[in-house]
């Protein structure tokens, strides 16, 4: 029976249940234990925002506090995965991926290819992403396109608590390296989540709102901005279909193409910087594979090509808004044919 919990709780529950089910699942990261070995261990910090709080009391030394060295513990997690464990490594902020990127894209992503398909690396690397938390330029980036560019990595970015739990369990059970990105501004979002174990397959986008006028394709926090825009446009008689990609690699282009073939118009929304982002990728593939179905120009809504500002006013202006999505929909409807 489903009850309402937050996205943060959904992450915690998914890891908890998978650790209880499978003794090969371990977790490592900075401050995920905190009080281990002292009187405070039952109230351990649980990471920078307390996502893994309480797990050490249940699973003990299978949760490993690590030094402040991403290259060391991400490398250790990848090595452990190659030796039969199923590590969940918490990279505190996705912005820190630069410290350990070689281990991710030159090692984990390539093991299966380099060893003729015989090597498996079932590691999950979790990280917070996205702006809006007043965390400045080095803690607020949406770096999803960088990981999606790398063959051999699976990339997940959920938008709801339900999807978060199902996709994280699927990630832990998957035999390939998975980059699991959690938008920090969605941690408090509540939704119905079953208490039991369940999985959501990779590469299956979710049509979260049906419509026949314009297709809006997005993921993560931008799903909610897009739904807000769609609700505004519906009052004007414009029915938008909103597609949540859920996973960026593998990418469900079939659902996108089916929607665009029906509506004839496309707006791609991505919080990442505009050069070579997911919106660019979707737009290019639609232009290549469904050009004849388009009734108007493809529109893209992204953050500016600039670092995330620390100023609250500037940061709010930096993040793509529902108003910008509404304007993009109106532009694609104004151009082209009926």
């Amino acid at each position: 029976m489903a009850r309402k919990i937050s996205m943060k709780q959904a992450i915690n529950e998914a890891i908890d249940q998978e650790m209880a089910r499978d003794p090969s699942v371990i977790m490592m990261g900075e401050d995920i234990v905190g009080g281990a070995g002292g009187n405070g261990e039952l109230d351990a910090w649980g990471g920078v925002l307390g996502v893994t709080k309480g797990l050490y009391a249940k699973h003990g030394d299978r949760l490993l506090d690590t030094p402040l060295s991403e290259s060391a513990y991400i490398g250790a997690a990848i090595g452990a995965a190659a030796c039969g464990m199923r590590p969940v490594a918490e990279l505190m902020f996705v912005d820190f991926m630069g410290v350990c990127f070689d281990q991710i894209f030159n090692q984990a992503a390539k093991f299966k290819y380099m060893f003729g398909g015989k090597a498996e690396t079932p590691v999950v690397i979790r990280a917070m992403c996205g702006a809006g938390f007043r965390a400045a330029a080095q803690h607020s980036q949406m770096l999803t396109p960088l990981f999606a560019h790398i063959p051999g990595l699976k990339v997940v970015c959920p938008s709801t608590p339900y999807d978060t739990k199902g996709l994280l369990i699927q990630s832990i059970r998957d035999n390939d390296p998975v980059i699991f990105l959690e938008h920090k501004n969605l941690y408090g979002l509540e939704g119905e989540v079953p208490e039991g174990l369940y999985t959501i397959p990779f590469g299956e986008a979710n049509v979260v709102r049906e419509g026949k006028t314009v297709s809006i394709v997005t993921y993560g926090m931008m799903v909610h901005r897009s739904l807000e825009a769609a609700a505004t446009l519906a009052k004007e008689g414009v029915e938008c279909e909103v597609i949540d990609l859920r996973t960026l690699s593998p990418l469900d282009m079939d659902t996108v193409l089916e929607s665009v073939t029906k509506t004839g118009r496309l707006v791609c929304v991505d919080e990442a910087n505009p050069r070579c982002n997911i919106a660019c990728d979707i737009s290019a593939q639609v232009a290549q594979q469904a050009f004849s179905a388009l009734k108007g120009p493809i529109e893209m809504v992204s953050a500016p090509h600039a670092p995330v500002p620390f100023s609250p006013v500037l940061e709010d202006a930096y993040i793509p808004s529902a108003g910008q999505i509404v304007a993009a929909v109106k532009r694609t409807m104004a151009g082209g044919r009926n």
Side-chain angles (χ1 to χ4, degrees):
M1 182 178 177
R3 78 262 111 111
K4 284 192 173 184
I5 61 173
S6 68
M7 181 181 282
K8 185 164 78 169
Q9 291 171 307
I11 296 165
N12 186 293
E13 187 168 274
I15 297 171
D16 182 18
Q17 291 179 347
E18 280 299 283
M19 292 189 82
R21 185 190 68 86
D22 184 350
S24 70
V25 178
I26 61 174
M27 187 170 179
M28 56 181 71
E30 297 161 352
D31 291 334
I32 62 168
V33 174
N39 294 330
E41 64 185 40
L42 295 179
D43 192 35
W45 188 248
V48 66
L49 291 182
V51 177
T52 56
K53 192 178 182 67
L55 294 182
Y56 179 79
K58 295 181 179 181
H59 304 289
D61 291 340
R62 287 166 62 197
L63 275 81
L64 308 172
D65 252 351
T66 65
L68 196 65
S69 175
E70 287 79 10
S71 59
Y73 74 83
I74 295 296
I78 292 167
C83 293
M85 304 302 288
R86 290 190 176 271
V88 179
E90 182 178 294
L91 188 61
M92 193 177 283
F93 292 90
V94 72
D95 316 70
F96 302 162
M97 52 81 73
V99 182
C100 54
F101 200 38
D102 182 71
Q103 286 89 331
I104 296 170
F105 92 100
N106 258 342
Q107 308 303 326
K110 294 179 172 60
F111 281 167
K112 181 173 284 188
Y113 177 80
M114 292 168 64
F115 293 100
K118 296 178 181 179
E120 292 184 337
T121 313
V123 62
V124 179
I125 299 172
R126 295 178 39 247
M128 290 188 287
C129 64
F133 204 69
R134 313 312 188 208
Q138 294 176 334
H139 302 77
S140 304
Q141 296 170 90
M142 198 71 181
L143 299 177
T144 40
L146 274 69
F147 295 106
H149 180 75
I150 307 299
L153 297 179
K154 294 178 179 176
V155 185
V156 182
C157 190
S159 66
T160 67
Y162 176 85
D163 282 3
T164 296
K165 181 177 177 180
L167 288 167
L168 183 51
I169 292 173
Q170 178 68 27
S171 299
I172 295 170
R173 297 182 185 182
D174 198 274
N175 288 329
D176 292 319
V178 179
I179 309 297
F180 194 92
L181 299 175
E182 306 153 8
H183 201 295
K184 61 180 80 71
N185 267 7
L186 293 179
Y187 273 162
L189 177 71
E190 293 191 344
E192 290 191 354
V193 179
E195 293 183 20
L197 289 164
Y198 64 94
T199 61
I200 296 174
F202 292 160
E204 292 189 8
N206 187 23
V207 180
V208 293
R209 181 183 178 116
E210 294 190 355
K212 58 184 180 180
T213 312
V214 178
S215 301
I216 303 176
V217 180
T218 188
Y219 65 96
M221 189 177 76
M222 291 297 108
V223 171
H224 303 281
R225 296 285 172 92
S226 298
L227 287 171
E228 183 183 344
T232 299
L233 288 159
K235 297 174 184 176
E236 303 175 20
V238 179
E239 290 298 330
C240 295
E241 184 150 287
V242 180
I243 297 174
D244 179 359
L245 293 170
R246 285 173 163 169
T247 65
L248 308 178
S249 186
L251 183 64
D252 182 5
M253 280 304 300
D254 289 342
T255 296
V256 174
L257 292 169
E258 182 180 348
S259 177
V260 173
T261 300
K262 177 176 66 174
T263 65
R265 294 180 172 87
L266 172 65
V267 174
C268 292
V269 185
D270 188 356
E271 186 184 329
N273 300 121
R275 295 297 308 278
C276 305
N277 68 9
I278 304 301
C280 292
D281 183 17
I282 297 288
S283 299
Q285 292 196 58
V286 168
Q288 184 179 41
Q289 300 180 57
F291 184 78
S292 60
L294 292 171
K295 300 176 182 178
I298 296 172
E299 291 286 338
M300 293 185 288
V301 180
S302 300
H305 196 57
V308 181
F310 179 63
S311 159
V313 175
L314 292 177
E315 185 177 24
D316 290 342
Y318 175 95
I319 302 168
S321 67
Q324 288 175 291
I325 299 168
V326 168
V329 169
K330 291 183 176 180
R331 285 196 301 272
T332 192
M333 292 185 65
R337 55 191 171 87
N338 294 324

